[in-house]
Amino acid sequence: MSEERKLPPEAKQYQKLHAKREIKRPVVKNCIKAFLVGGTICTLGQAITTFYIYFFDFTEKTAGNPTVATLIIITMFLTGFGLYDPLGQFAGAGTAIPVTGFANAVISSAIEHRTEGFIQGVGSNMLKLAGPVIVYGVFTAFLIAIVKTVVTNILGL
Amino acid sequence: MSKKLVMLSIIAFVLFGCTNNDPTYEDAQNADFELLKIKSDVPVDQQPANQAKEFLSHYEEVKQVRAVNTEDDLVIAVDINHHDRFQLDHLQKELTKDVKKNFSGMTITFSTDRKILIELKRLEEDLQKQNMNVDEINERLEKIKKLSKEDT
């Protein structure tokens, strides 16, 4: 708030105009789109899991790994053929939150930096977007593991 | 203020599902319960398995139960009702305890996994249909037990 007061009057006026003219984001519509597309991806994942449970020697516990691998391979092809981008534009978070979004982030940057060579280009840029996901994923898992240990072992709940 | 109230009620609603209810044993068997009793002319007597099925079918939370036994091994798989699956871990622990109390002479393998359920169903059907010998049954059951112990 204090920053706003320091602004010159012209800037304040501009901000008012900007707020008036700015197109409102259709939040509810975006949410519905994301829900439907993300839900479809998850239904596909569940179908793959069930397939692995019925036809291969995987249990409910272990079928998760091959399912993730299959989804990543499907996304790899969709990204390579340019089909995932329009889907991502349409659904937003619906395609970014499932593991397919992670795969897309890795693969698209690998494709983008291919011209810079395998080491300097692909190798160093592949995880540029996905790296933070890994870092904060591991960090959050660490924090939650500490909380769980405290709750179960020390408080005995 | 109202936002806070909404948040609070959402949290209360979510945490409400986390209370640990013990499995309820009813005197009457569940309605429309599919219970396949294995015939007695199989090479290994399936009396313990049939008893375990009978016992577990009295639990309100259990939707389906499959069981096969060998001389001293008893492998049981149950399907839990969908809305009771929120407490799957707790239910599994309690049900395992109850089963172990009732069948103290045998090694119990208890699972709520769909894969184990499917495999036991296939084994039960094969037992009914074909003449399997003891070694074959042991082998199949050993494989199922190994599957149930698998971890990621």
Side-chain angles (χ1 to χ4, degrees):
Chain A
M1 283 305 259
S2 58
E3 247 176 74
E4 236 174 71
R5 264 181 221 143
K6 273 181 212 156
L7 287 171
E10 291 89 356
K12 265 190 196 170
Q13 214 177 359
Y14 174 74
Q15 276 191 341
K16 260 186 202 162
L17 184 75
H18 180 255
K20 208 165 68 183
R21 289 294 181 89
E22 192 185 13
I23 299 165
K24 279 227 169 87
R25 275 183 303 152
V27 176
V28 176
K29 203 174 145 202
N30 284 352
C31 284
I32 292 169
K33 275 184 190 167
F35 176 77
L36 289 178
V37 176
T40 311
I41 292 171
C42 294
T43 314
L44 180 72
Q46 183 60 49
I48 295 168
T49 304
T50 313
F51 169 78
Y52 279 126
I53 288 175
Y54 266 87
F55 297 106
F56 294 91
D57 281 344
F58 289 110
T59 58
E60 268 176 25
K61 258 190 217 159
T62 52
N65 299 340
T67 306
V68 169
T70 313
L71 280 175
I72 286 174
I73 285 178
I74 293 171
T75 318
M76 190 178 88
F77 283 117
L78 287 181
T79 308
F81 293 129
L83 298 170
Y84 201 83
D85 297 15
L87 186 70
Q89 292 228 317
F90 173 75
T95 53
I97 301 293
V99 74
T100 51
F102 182 75
N104 175 260
V106 174
I107 291 152
S108 57
S109 45
I111 294 170
E112 193 181 330
H113 295 280
R114 169 68 189 85
T115 47
E116 292 162 39
F118 275 113
I119 307 295
Q120 291 284 307
V122 176
S124 60
N125 289 303
M126 203 174 181
L127 293 175
K128 219 167 205 178
L129 246 172
V133 179
I134 297 172
V135 171
Y136 289 109
V138 171
F139 180 63
T140 317
F142 173 69
L143 280 189
I144 288 176
I146 287 178
V147 172
K148 200 202 163 192
T149 313
V150 168
V151 167
T152 53
N153 290 357
I154 297 171
L155 300 176
L157 282 172
Chain B
M1 185 60 206
S2 69
K3 243 184 193 171
K4 255 185 192 169
L5 214 70
V6 169
M7 276 305 285
L8 263 176
S9 54
I10 287 174
I11 290 169
F13 181 75
V14 169
L15 288 181
F16 196 68
C18 297
T19 48
N20 281 339
N21 295 323
D22 281 341
T24 39
Y25 188 87
E26 288 172 333
D27 287 334
Q29 234 174 56
N30 291 344
D32 61 65
F33 195 89
E34 188 199 348
L35 197 65
L36 180 83
K37 290 255 171 80
I38 300 165
K39 293 177 297 188
S40 51
D41 60 346
V42 285
V44 182
D45 183 28
Q46 295 294 314
Q47 190 62 29
N50 285 339
Q51 273 172 5
K53 283 182 197 174
E54 172 74 30
F55 171 69
L56 281 166
S57 68
H58 286 277
Y59 283 97
E60 202 190 320
E61 287 84 0
V62 175
K63 199 162 66 179
Q64 199 189 104
V65 52
R66 303 275 173 192
V68 172
N69 68 290
T70 59
E71 272 313 309
D72 43 27
D73 271 325
L74 176 58
V75 182
I76 309 167
V78 293
D79 198 3
I80 306 286
N81 277 331
H82 193 70
H83 63 272
D84 292 318
R85 287 182 76 90
F86 282 118
Q87 295 153 28
L88 193 61
D89 272 2
H90 179 71
L91 279 175
Q92 183 168 12
K93 222 186 280 167
E94 290 298 315
L95 287 176
T96 312
K97 222 195 297 170
D98 289 359
V99 170
K100 279 194 174 152
K101 222 182 333 179
N102 279 285
F103 298 89
S104 47
M106 303 183 97
T107 317
I108 311 276
T109 309
F110 187 87
S111 176
T112 51
D113 201 289
R114 176 149 296 269
K115 178 69 183 172
I116 311 300
L117 201 74
I118 295 165
E119 287 297 322
L120 280 178
K121 189 184 170 205
R122 285 175 186 160
L123 180 55
E124 276 183 0
E125 281 165 3
D126 286 350
L127 274 176
Q128 299 275 57
K129 264 187 274 173
Q130 316 164 2
N131 293 319
M132 295 177 81
N133 61 37
V134 181
D135 284 343
E136 276 175 331
I137 299 172
N138 278 337
E139 202 181 302
R140 288 274 295 270
L141 216 57
E142 210 48 53
K143 206 184 144 197
I144 294 172
K145 271 168 68 184
K146 214 175 119 196
L147 261 180
S148 76
K149 287 194 185 84
E150 244 170 42
D151 240 330
T152 41

